[in-house]
Amino acid sequence: MLAVAHVLGLLLASFALSYALPVGCALLYGDGLATRFLLAAAITAAVGLVLATVTARARRELKPRDGLDGLPPSLNLWRHTLHWIGGLGIIVMALAVLPLLGVGGMQLYKGQAPGAVKDERLAPRITETAKQLWLVYTLITAAGIVALRVCRMSWFDAICHAFSAVGLGGFSTHDRSIAYFNSPAIELVLMALMVIAALNFGRHIIALRRLSLATYRQDPEARGIFAVLAVSVLGMSTLLVAHGVYPDFLVALRHAAFNVISQATTSGLTSEDLQQWPVFAPWWMLFLSCILCSTGSTGGGIKMFRTLLLTRQAGREMQLLIHPAAVAPLRIGGRPIPEGVGSSVLAFIFVYFMTVALLTFAMLLTGMNFADAAAAVVASINNTAHGFGAPGAVHNFHSLSTVQIWICSAAMLLGRLEVFSVIVLFRPAYWRR
């Protein structure tokens, strides 16, 4: 415990360096906030250095057990709470903040239903939207806690795993993740929570407002998500039986359903050692983590709407090659998509994959083989725990070197904040607006 505190102290002291950017900006524009940022940096550095100094005698190399079953309950609950709150923060950013940057978000939701009637729209004010999201997010989480408790989880485990599933963070209170419980009922509840969290929370608000599921049938993203999951789960179950991993189809269906949903929704909870499965399985699930989650969800990746848009775009281009004079508006769900949305999505996809490529090359420079490097970067940028070899779903990331961990941390930050919202901060034109 003291060794972990020592490392946290050093990290906190290092974090104080992040104040250099706002301090420099404050001095450049003379907005009068430089001294306040310097004070905040000094306090952060002081607290970190004091913590590191007090625990210096306990300094040692951290081991896997320092972050697993032996973790004190309060710290375990705190880490689950952090990513539960972070999950809602991502939803608010996607539905309310990202449109201000013009990089996709609420305009994608409007793009799905530009002709929607007034009562299908979310609240016009960011504060009202945030309140509605808080309510829905909390209700779903509370329902999950109760359902998990009914399935014989302890209250502590139920709270932590409901936070984990709804936030799609993949944290567990046990080393073996969900395999620790070996309960089909618990797996079923968590699957439901993860699928709900992977859907557009704007749709959840509308569904509760109307007390109807019709809004999901009208949502092209939801239809795409359920179709991809159904095909993937059935296909994976058949593959596992064909390779003799499980004795019968129902057992294979249970484990395939849970792990495919978990990895595809970028949660990362596991019930089996995925590295014992055929090599196609983990690679396919890693691919699904890139495309499956909806806009306005707590999941990572490029999102289903962008996938659908690019698919329609490709189809339209092929149609225009055959019929150059044809009028072929880009449509999703039967509604036309504004050209501006399509351009922003294409730009995002390019930046996303260029980021993956560059960070993979950075991992290769550290000596990691290509498969492990690519998997670690994609898993990190999608914010899922999935990976291969050293950064695997069972072996986790604890065996990576310091440089490799920093690269994966950068990928996680870029992915969680949708790449553009981080990169735009380094453009001088943004600060002149």
Side-chain angles (χ1 to χ4, degrees):
M1 181 62 187
L2 290 178
V4 175
H6 179 74
V7 173
L8 289 176
L10 293 176
L11 288 175
L12 193 60
S14 301
F15 180 74
L17 297 175
S18 66
Y19 286 96
L21 284 175
V23 168
C25 181
L27 292 174
L28 179 63
Y29 289 95
D31 60 13
L33 294 179
T35 54
R36 297 186 183 184
F37 280 116
L38 286 171
L39 178 61
I43 293 174
T44 303
V47 172
L49 290 173
V50 168
L51 181 61
T53 302
V54 170
T55 57
R57 291 186 177 180
R59 180 177 181 176
R60 60 173 170 78
E61 183 178 351
L62 295 184
K63 300 177 181 179
R65 64 181 176 84
D66 290 313
L68 305 164
D69 275 271
L71 199 65
S74 57
L75 285 179
N76 226 331
L77 180 61
W78 176 238
R79 63 197 282 266
H80 283 82
T81 303
L82 283 178
H83 76 65
W84 181 76
I85 295 173
L88 181 65
I90 293 302
I91 298 171
V92 173
M93 183 181 73
L95 294 181
V97 178
L98 285 182
L100 302 179
L101 301 177
V103 297
M106 192 58 183
Q107 72 264 44
L108 297 184
Y109 175 76
K110 292 178 179 178
Q112 295 176 58
V117 294
K118 182 177 180 181
D119 56 352
E120 271 195 345
R121 297 182 184 275
L122 300 182
R125 297 178 181 272
I126 292 179
T127 52
E128 290 302 315
T129 299
K131 289 178 183 178
Q132 293 179 8
L133 289 171
W134 262 115
L135 176 61
V136 172
Y137 196 68
T138 303
L139 287 175
I140 293 172
T141 305
I145 292 171
V146 173
L148 290 172
R149 181 68 183 105
V150 170
C151 294
R152 298 182 179 276
M153 262 194 183
S154 68
W155 279 113
F156 178 79
D157 281 343
I159 292 171
C160 288
H161 285 89
F163 282 6
S164 183
V166 177
L168 294 180
F171 286 177
S172 178
T173 54
H174 301 283
D175 295 351
R176 297 177 59 209
S177 191
I178 306 306
Y180 173 87
F181 301 99
N182 191 27
S183 167
I186 288 175
E187 292 166 14
L188 188 62
V189 171
L190 290 173
M191 281 190 284
L193 290 176
M194 289 185 289
V195 170
I196 290 171
L199 297 174
N200 190 314
F201 271 73
R203 294 290 179 182
H204 297 331
I205 292 175
I206 295 170
L208 286 179
R209 187 184 299 166
R210 295 182 170 186
L211 297 179
S212 171
L213 299 178
T215 185
Y216 300 109
R217 292 195 296 270
Q218 300 165 2
D219 184 2
E221 276 191 299
R223 295 198 302 269
I225 288 170
F226 284 116
V228 170
L229 283 178
V231 172
S232 297
V233 168
L234 291 175
M236 194 68 67
S237 302
T238 304
L239 178 71
L240 294 175
V241 172
H243 282 75
V245 179
Y246 298 107
D248 60 74
F249 186 79
L250 288 180
V251 175
L253 180 64
R254 169 193 168 185
H255 295 300
F258 181 83
N259 290 284
V260 166
I261 289 174
S262 177
Q263 303 301 333
T265 59
T266 72
S267 171
L269 293 170
T270 57
S271 65
E272 293 288 290
D273 183 355
L274 304 183
Q275 301 194 57
Q276 303 304 313
W277 291 11
V279 68
F280 172 87
W283 277 108
W284 180 253
M285 289 187 285
L286 189 64
F287 166 71
L288 292 182
S289 73
C290 297
I291 67 170
L292 188 94
C293 292
S294 173
T295 55
S297 71
T298 58
I302 64 177
K303 306 297 192 298
M304 178 59 73
F305 182 82
R306 295 183 177 114
T307 304
L308 292 174
L309 188 145
L310 285 186
T311 303
R312 300 291 194 277
Q313 178 77 22
R316 185 178 72 165
E317 293 302 320
M318 286 187 284
Q319 181 182 357
L320 291 175
L321 286 175
I322 300 172
H323 305 288
V327 178
L330 191 62
R331 296 177 181 271
I332 293 182
R335 294 187 171 95
I337 301 299
E339 290 295 331
V341 174
S343 299
S344 69
V345 168
L346 288 171
F348 176 86
I349 298 295
F350 173 77
V351 172
Y352 173 89
F353 281 109
M354 284 301 296
T355 302
V356 170
L358 292 174
L359 292 178
T360 299
F361 279 116
M363 293 289 275
L364 292 175
L365 283 174
T366 67
M368 182 176 284
N369 66 68
F370 177 77
D372 289 351
V377 169
V378 174
S380 297
I381 202 168
N382 292 340
N383 283 262
T384 183
H386 184 61
F388 302 89
V394 174
H395 301 287
N396 217 309
F397 287 70
H398 66 261
S399 62
L400 301 188
S401 69
T402 301
V403 174
Q404 292 167 347
I405 289 174
W406 276 111
I407 294 171
C408 289
S409 298
M412 286 188 282
L413 179 63
L414 288 168
R416 197 58 173 164
L417 298 180
E418 297 252 329
V419 186
F420 265 174
S421 58
V422 176
I423 295 176
V424 75
L425 297 177
F426 295 93
R427 292 181 60 86
Y430 171 78
W431 297 103
R432 291 197 294 266
R433 291 170 62 180

